[in-house]
């Protein structure tokens, strides 16, 4: 019984992560009853311009306002370390730490044969070029099947005597109780135990 | 460090209920990295057309695709009972019950002197007109200060011998344990106790 245009907006919201039917209904109804049309039109314009205005860094493929992103163009960062991540959002997560001072390389996805995503769909040729001047490649893909597959593939491509290839550590989350760790995480924590 | 257009979209999302900064960031990043531009442009167009395409029922002010909404134009509903609600979304909530067969009247808000909303900002003149042919007015405003104030105001305006004015019952939620009820709800449940 929702008006047609409202149904469409409910469907649009449902395409976003973590938004189910109920939440989508609530958001769409809020728009129509509580938000001024000027603000809705602004929102509409921002969406229309999103992909047009977003640039991708010529070097690391990170989303940016410039031709080369703020990180790649920062002379105070260590240009010999390149952390390879799946998505732009991983870079934002890492940058919140404020302790990593190397560069990044955004693959634009992970190898996933079940969905037909192979190395040719990822930014790997440009990575090869950048690694020529690097000392270390930190593989920071997630601990999923696809993350592991991509990590192994990158290692097989670029592991030579010149370049140090490292991977993010697996283990217990800091501050978490043993009993909340899943078995895989726990076995990784034992396997990768450090001298105390 | 977010690109400019992404910052704007994050702000747009934050205007929606239940969406804080973190969620807004996640939604905006998902749009830019995971959703095709065609779908984003569609979303943008739907928003641009929202307020233009939405109509308000000539009789009850409910949002609709037509001049008179599906409920007001349904001859199988009881046109002598009018349930008065604050917003369009209250009608959707009530309709999910599937047990109410009267009509509605959408006030378009509640009396709220602290925000300068008086009876003149609400759809009350058209309600007066409709009540001439009604037998019962069910006041279904919420149990907040504004909801109570509006309910009292409506009662004072329209309570006469001809029209039966009723109000939704307050009491314990069905299936809930006594210990989870707040004191006000509990005292209302005692006050409005029914013969068993």
């Amino acid at each position: 019984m929702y008006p047609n245009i409202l149904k469409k907006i409910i469907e649009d919201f449902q395409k976003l992560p973590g938004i189910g039917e109920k939440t989508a209904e609530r958001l769409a109804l809020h728009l129509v009853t509580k938000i001024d049309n000027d603000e809705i039109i602004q929102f509409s314009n921002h969406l229309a311009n999103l992909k047009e205005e977003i640039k991708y860094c010529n070097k690391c493929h990170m989303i940016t306002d410039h031709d080369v992103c703020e990180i790649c163009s920062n002379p105070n960062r260590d240009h010999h370390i390149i952390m390879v991540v799946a998505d732009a959002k991983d870079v934002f997560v890492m940058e919140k730490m404020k302790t990593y001072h190397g560069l990044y390389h955004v693959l634009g996805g992970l190898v996933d044969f079940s969905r037909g995503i192979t190395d040719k769909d990822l930014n790997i040729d440009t990575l090869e070029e950048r690694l020529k001047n690097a000392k270390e490649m930190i593989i920071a893909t997630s601990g999923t099947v696809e993350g592991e597959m991509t990590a192994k593939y990158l290692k097989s491509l670029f592991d030579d005597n010149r370049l140090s290839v490292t991977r993010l550590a697996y283990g217990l989350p800091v501050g978490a109780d043993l009993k909340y760790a899943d078995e895989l995480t726990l076995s990784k924590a034992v396997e990768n135990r450090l001298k105390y």
Side-chain angles (χ1 to χ4, degrees), chain A:
Chain A
M1 69 170 288
Y2 289 117
N4 218 2
I5 184 78
L6 210 65
K7 275 186 209 153
K8 287 180 191 162
I9 289 180
I10 291 170
E11 284 168 18
D12 291 327
F13 274 123
Q14 281 185 265
K15 290 175 187 161
L16 298 173
I19 298 191
E21 197 182 344
K22 288 229 167 190
T23 307
E25 286 175 1
R26 194 161 47 88
L27 297 179
L29 280 169
H30 185 89
L31 273 177
V32 77
T33 58
K34 305 278 183 189
I35 306 227
D36 286 345
N37 202 30
D38 291 354
E39 293 192 64
I40 297 177
I41 297 294
Q42 262 188 6
F43 191 6
S44 163
N45 289 339
H46 295 156
L47 288 174
N49 298 335
L50 175 60
K51 296 260 182 171
E52 216 165 284
E53 285 192 23
I54 284 272
K55 289 184 182 178
Y56 293 88
C57 173
N58 285 343
K59 302 194 174 195
C60 73
H61 308 284
M62 177 61 181
I63 54 174
T64 175
D65 282 324
H66 315 284
D67 291 328
V68 175
C69 77
E70 290 167 40
I71 296 171
C72 284
S73 57
N74 182 345
N76 295 322
R77 302 197 63 133
D78 187 339
H79 285 236
H80 294 105
I81 308 180
I82 294 180
M83 184 185 285
V84 181
V85 297
D87 279 311
K89 72 172 188 301
D90 301 322
V91 174
F92 293 116
V93 171
M94 287 289 170
E95 283 298 289
K96 280 189 179 162
M97 280 192 315
K98 296 198 170 90
T99 53
Y100 173 70
H101 296 296
L103 306 183
Y104 296 94
H105 191 85
V106 178
L107 290 176
L110 292 169
V111 174
D112 184 353
F113 296 118
S114 69
R115 294 162 70 194
I117 302 171
T118 68
D119 53 306
K120 283 174 189 57
D121 303 302
L122 306 177
N123 299 317
I124 287 183
D125 44 347
T126 49
L127 174 62
E128 186 170 6
E129 196 54 38
R130 294 181 75 203
L131 287 176
K132 284 180 185 159
N133 300 312
K135 290 180 185 152
E136 181 178 357
M137 166 171 75
I138 306 174
I139 304 177
T141 56
S142 62
T144 59
V145 174
E146 293 78 21
E148 286 297 332
M149 209 184 302
T150 310
K152 278 197 184 131
Y153 180 68
L154 290 174
K155 185 180 153 72
S156 75
L157 280 183
F158 302 120
D159 198 13
D160 58 34
N161 292 332
R162 197 191 50 75
L163 184 75
S164 162
V165 176
T166 58
R167 179 117 175 73
L168 290 191
Y170 288 125
L172 296 174
V174 177
D177 195 287
L178 269 189
K179 67 173 174 266
Y180 299 119
D182 63 289
E183 289 167 32
L184 249 166
T185 303
L186 212 51
S187 68
K188 284 283 183 187
V190 174
E191 190 184 318
N192 303 330
R193 64 194 179 278
L194 299 168
K195 200 164 169 58
Y196 191 57

